[in-house]
Each structure stands twice: as structure tokens, then as C-alpha cells.
Amino acid sequence: MKSKATLKELAKELGVSTSTVSKALSDSPEISEVTKRKIKEFAQLRNYKPNSVAKNLKNKRTHTIGVILPNILNPFFAKVFSGIEKYANKRGYNLITCISNESLTKEKQMLEMLDNGAIDGFVLALAKETQKENNLEHLKQVIKGGTPIVLFDRIANELKCDKVIVDDYESGFHATQYLIDTGCKRIAIVSTIENSSVGDLRAKGYFEALAKNRRDSDSDLILLAQEEKEFDSKIEALLDEKPDGIFALNEHVSVATLKLALKKGFRVPEDLSIIGFADGLWSRRMTPSLSTVSQHAPEIGQKAAELLINRIEQEIDSEELIVYKTEIIKTELRKRDSVRKL
């Protein structure tokens, strides 16, 4: 296979400047026809291909968006991605997608790798480790360098960028209130997303609903874990406390709790009502089907892509004139067979 020459190598071998080669290959009128023909023929002979990244740097637009997802196996993030892709393609943008696997180090590496002129901006949800350590310097540097970022779902309020979130606090409050309204007295809360912005807000809604109804929270009914292993080792003990209602803050724990409750002999919803978060296929295909707070994930993705592309194409002379937006997507409580009826 022939090796591909670079612009500098062509210039050196021809004994001219890189500027002359570049102008000749671009049909610049500053270069004579004889010189242009000579350079083009030599470039073809040396298998030269234009550096698209360098060209994009010159044109200041690549029509490519970097998308960084924490976990592609999570149905929520997969649905958000589908919304991003659909809208971006409609506006003529391509995507480069990376997975951080909840790692701060990987998130940093991906931002550094792509923030070199390869993309026009980023759409991302913060990794668990990033939020846990509250380490945002790598994101601040990207924004300071002029590359726009749109955060979705897991955000950091101190970052100056556009954001797309759902009403996590209100969702947590209304889900818990619904369990109370349907007669639940001992309502547990379970999660594997402690120390994430969304987990904190959903839990806050749960505690506020209990307080409004003059219910004391019971530490034996609270399982806010950071990892699935921690959750799996403790959920059985929580179910031994005989809750009659459970609010699960993410889809994994929703499904796992329902399965284990049925295995332990709970009748759902007669003995135990369960409401989960997110709305993947698992929830609908369970028996009984799982009541969920639907986040409208594709809509989140579309709105995030829209904010980013509008920001990319917006001409602003001074950073002081930028007004960042936080779009809030309303959730919906989808009542299925895992909750008693009002």
C-alpha cells in the first residue's frame, strides 16, 4: 500500500513553501497554471489526501458533534442518543460517539481527543465518577476554549453552558405522593445513583412528599447505593422490613426490586406497590408491568442537539452577551399493574 504524503512533505520534495502547495491544490489565482498543474500531478503521484481536520480548522466548521454517553447499555441513554442523531441529521450534522463507562478519566480523554478541531461541540451526560468527585476542570477548559457544550440529565450547575434536564424533583415528589394516595404507609426508596444530580433531586422529592404528609422517613427503608453490587447485597434486607410501597430511582433497581419481591412472595400490587424511573422495554414486559416515571428520552436528545447546533451557528462577538438556557422536559407517570389503583 502506498504511503500518503503530507502537505509539508510535498512542499519539501518540490522545493516550495507549504503555502504554495496549499494554494495550488485549492486553485488559487495567486499560483500560475504551470505550477498548479505540476503540484497537482505530483500530489496525485504521491497519493496525497487533504487533511480534513486541518481543512475544518480553517473553515471553522466541521458539521460534526461529539456525543459522550456514560453507559450505552442503559436504555435511557440509548433513547437519548436516538433523539440526538435524528435531529442532528436533519440539520446536516454527523456524530462521533464515545462511551465514558462512568469514568472521569475516560471522560477527560474523550474531550481532549475530540476537542482538536474534529467537532463543533459536545453533547454529554456527566459520568458518575465526575459528579462524585465534582471534578469539572476539564469541562471548564473546553468551554473556555470556545467549544460549546450541552449537558443533559446529569449536569453541573456551575458550568456555563446550555442544559437539558427533566423535572427530577417534581417527579420524585409526585411518584411518592401517588404511592401515599393509593394507601401505602411504609414507602421505601432504592437507588444505585447516589451522588448524582438526578438521584439527589429525585430523593429530595421523595423526602419532601413524606414531610408534606407528616410521615417520618425510616432509615431501614432507605437504600441509596452508588453501585449495583452494593444495592444487590442490601435489597433483600430492605424487603425483610415489609415495605408496602417502593420508589425506585432508576431502571435497574426498579426491575431488580420487582423480581426479588415476587421471588420473596410479595403480591404486587396487593402487598407491595412499586414505581420506577425511566421507561424501557423491561418495564412494559415485566409481569406485572412496572409503573414508571417516563423521562421522554428521545425528546431530551432532540432538544440537546437543537440547543447545541443553534449555539454553534450563532454569531456572538462577546462572551458577555451569551445567555445560556436550561430546558426542562416534563415527565409522565405511567400507571401500570405494579401500583394499586386510586
Side-chain angles (χ1 to χ4, degrees):
M1 182 181 293
K2 284 185 179 180
S3 62
K4 295 179 181 179
T6 66
L7 198 68
K8 286 184 179 179
E9 288 171 343
L10 291 180
K12 184 178 180 180
E13 292 177 36
L14 288 166
V16 297
S17 68
T18 54
S19 175
T20 298
V21 175
S22 177
K23 289 178 181 179
L25 295 175
S26 300
D27 276 326
S28 170
E30 298 177 38
I31 308 300
S32 71
E33 291 300 321
V34 173
T35 302
K36 282 195 282 190
R37 185 170 61 252
K38 177 184 176 182
I39 290 174
K40 286 180 180 179
E41 288 175 352
F42 187 72
Q44 185 175 9
L45 178 68
R46 291 286 282 107
N47 198 29
Y48 170 76
K49 299 293 181 185
N51 185 323
S52 59
V53 171
K55 185 178 179 181
N56 288 333
L57 281 170
K58 182 180 178 181
N59 295 334
K60 298 183 180 180
R61 190 74 56 81
T62 69
H63 287 87
T64 303
I65 293 170
V67 180
I68 302 179
L69 303 176
N71 181 356
I72 195 60
L73 297 178
N74 186 318
F76 168 72
F77 291 121
K79 286 185 177 182
V80 171
F81 176 77
S82 71
I84 296 170
E85 183 178 44
K86 182 178 180 180
Y87 185 86
N89 288 345
K90 185 172 72 172
R91 293 281 294 267
Y93 283 74
N94 298 311
L95 304 181
I96 295 177
T97 309
C98 302
I99 313 299
S100 70
N101 282 326
E102 308 290 9
S103 164
L104 169 62
T105 300
K106 278 195 170 185
E107 188 177 274
K108 286 181 178 180
Q109 290 172 344
M110 291 165 186
L111 282 167
E112 184 177 350
M113 176 183 69
L114 294 177
D115 192 30
N116 62 357
I119 52 95
D120 294 328
F122 290 98
V123 174
L124 73 147
L126 299 178
K128 278 185 182 179
E129 192 175 11
T130 302
Q131 289 204 309
K132 180 181 177 182
E133 297 188 16
N134 194 32
N135 188 329
L136 305 171
E137 193 57 36
H138 56 301
L139 295 154
K140 291 177 181 178
Q141 289 301 317
V142 171
I143 294 169
K144 185 178 180 181
T147 303
I149 288 177
V150 174
L151 295 177
F152 72 91
D153 191 53
R154 303 180 193 168
I155 66 168
N157 289 323
E158 56 265 51
L159 288 177
K160 294 181 179 180
C161 64
D162 297 312
K163 305 172 182 75
V164 183
I165 59 175
V166 300
D167 52 341
D168 286 294
Y169 166 76
E170 289 183 22
S171 301
F173 182 92
H174 291 310
T176 307
Q177 185 64 53
Y178 188 78
L179 290 171
I180 293 171
D181 292 342
T182 53
C184 295
K185 305 294 184 185
R186 291 175 52 76
I187 302 172
I189 182 172
V190 294
S191 165
T192 57
I193 53 174
E194 188 185 23
N195 291 332
S196 71
S197 57
V198 293
D200 292 344
L201 287 169
R202 294 168 194 175
K204 183 180 179 181
Y206 161 85
F207 288 114
E208 289 288 340
L210 292 184
K212 182 182 177 182
N213 290 271
R214 298 180 181 178
R215 304 278 186 90
D216 293 328
S217 58
D218 185 340
S219 60
D220 291 330
L221 299 179
I222 298 172
L223 175 45
L224 300 177
Q226 295 183 24
E227 303 292 341
E228 291 178 7
K229 289 182 180 179
E230 182 185 356
F231 168 82
D232 293 342
S233 67
K234 295 180 179 180
I235 181 58
E236 192 162 355
L238 183 143
L239 288 173
D240 287 339
E241 296 296 325
K242 303 296 181 185
D244 59 5
I246 292 180
F247 177 38
L249 303 193
N250 53 309
E251 191 158 25
H252 167 77
V253 298
S254 308
V255 174
T257 301
L258 177 55
K259 285 183 175 180
L260 184 57
L262 293 171
K263 185 177 179 180
K264 288 179 72 69
F266 282 89
R267 294 177 303 156
V268 179
E270 293 84 359
D271 302 326
L272 176 65
S273 289
I274 301 176
I275 294 178
F277 226 94
D279 197 32
L281 288 175
W282 294 343
S283 304
R284 298 192 291 275
R285 292 180 178 177
M286 295 288 290
T287 304
S289 58
L290 185 61
S291 297
T292 58
V293 178
S294 174
Q295 297 164 277
H296 302 297
E299 186 179 340
I300 292 172
Q302 290 177 33
K303 179 56 67 174
E306 179 185 353
L307 286 174
L308 181 62
I309 293 171
N310 288 347
R311 184 68 66 194
I312 290 167
E313 297 182 352
Q314 186 178 21
E315 298 293 338
I316 296 179
D317 295 329
S318 172
E319 189 174 342
E320 295 179 0
L321 301 176
I322 299 176
V323 177
Y324 294 106
K325 298 179 180 179
T326 297
E327 296 283 352
I328 301 176
I329 307 298
K330 289 292 182 182
T331 58
E332 177 186 355
L333 179 56
R334 295 188 172 169
K335 303 163 188 173
R336 300 193 179 95
D337 296 335
S338 66
V339 176
R340 294 191 294 273
K341 307 301 179 185
L342 278 171

